[in-house]
Amino acid sequence: MRKIRTVLLLFTFLFSLTSCDLFESTTVSSKDIKKASSWSSNDQPPSYSDCESLEKKEQMACFQSLISDLLLMYIADASMVASAPIEESIELKLKVDKEGIFSLVEADLSNQLIEVLPNLESILSDAVASLPNALPATKTNVGVYVDAQFSLPVLIRAQPVE
């Protein structure tokens, strides 16, 4: 009887090992992961509710226009004073995280611009942080919110106060 029980137990153990899917391994190549996570035209960029009723291409233009307007109002209220006249284009790299919160990733400021407007980077950072939360970007093939980065060109014109 004991021998039969041992044989049955051994048979059950071997049967469970051969039929178990726990030992199968599926690997996903880094190329497949990169392809699935790269941005596609079907994905939804960050937006504001005011822009949602527009076509996707117009949504981004609306979104950037609202951001530009809000940043300009903040900068105008900062009352910066230039030490010399300047007119220069810069590029702001902005991030909208999964919660729709903005942050300044990088401001491409020349040495001349920093010399003329020494507080500009700090003011730009504060201006971006003051933006109202956006609707975050959505990676549609997996249905999750994702961080998104984009560039915003800005023209800086300043005259010293006389």
Side-chain angles (χ1 to χ4, degrees):
M1 180 78 160
R2 188 168 195 221
K3 195 171 193 170
I4 294 173
R5 187 181 295 173
T6 306
V7 170
L8 282 174
L9 185 60
L10 183 60
F11 178 75
T12 306
F13 178 72
L14 289 174
F15 180 75
S16 66
L17 279 179
T18 58
S19 65
C20 184
D21 288 337
L22 293 175
F23 295 104
E24 287 185 26
S25 174
T26 58
T27 57
V28 179
S29 72
S30 60
K31 182 180 177 182
D32 290 338
I33 292 171
K34 188 172 184 177
K35 182 180 177 185
S37 61
S38 64
W39 196 259
S40 77
S41 60
N42 295 330
D43 295 330
Q44 178 65 43
S47 186
Y48 282 118
S49 56
D50 294 351
C51 304
E52 286 293 290
S53 62
L54 303 172
E55 293 293 320
K56 196 175 284 190
K57 200 172 196 177
E58 287 85 27
Q59 279 182 9
M60 193 60 173
C62 173
F63 178 67
Q64 288 181 333
S65 176
L66 287 172
I67 291 169
S68 294
D69 292 347
L70 292 168
L71 290 176
L72 287 173
M73 285 192 303
Y74 187 95
I75 292 168
D77 288 344
S79 301
M80 290 186 287
V81 177
S83 61
I86 192 161
E87 183 172 323
E88 190 174 316
S89 291
I90 63 170
E91 188 171 297
L92 301 179
K93 290 185 182 151
L94 306 178
K95 175 182 166 185
V96 180
D97 71 11
K98 297 171 190 170
E99 286 78 41
I101 299 170
F102 285 87
S103 59
L104 179 63
V105 175
E106 183 181 357
D108 187 22
L109 305 178
S110 70
N111 289 336
Q112 181 184 11
L113 191 57
I114 293 170
E115 189 176 302
V116 172
L117 294 165
N119 297 332
L120 181 60
E121 188 167 9
S122 171
I123 290 170
L124 289 171
S125 183
D126 292 346
V128 170
S130 76
L131 290 170
N133 287 4
L135 302 170
T138 306
K139 188 75 179 115
T140 56
N141 64 337
V142 287
V144 296
Y145 295 135
V146 293
D147 294 349
Q149 286 189 18
F150 60 96
S151 297
L152 186 67
V154 177
L155 177 63
I156 303 291
R157 285 188 194 143
Q159 293 292 326
V161 177
E162 296 180 17

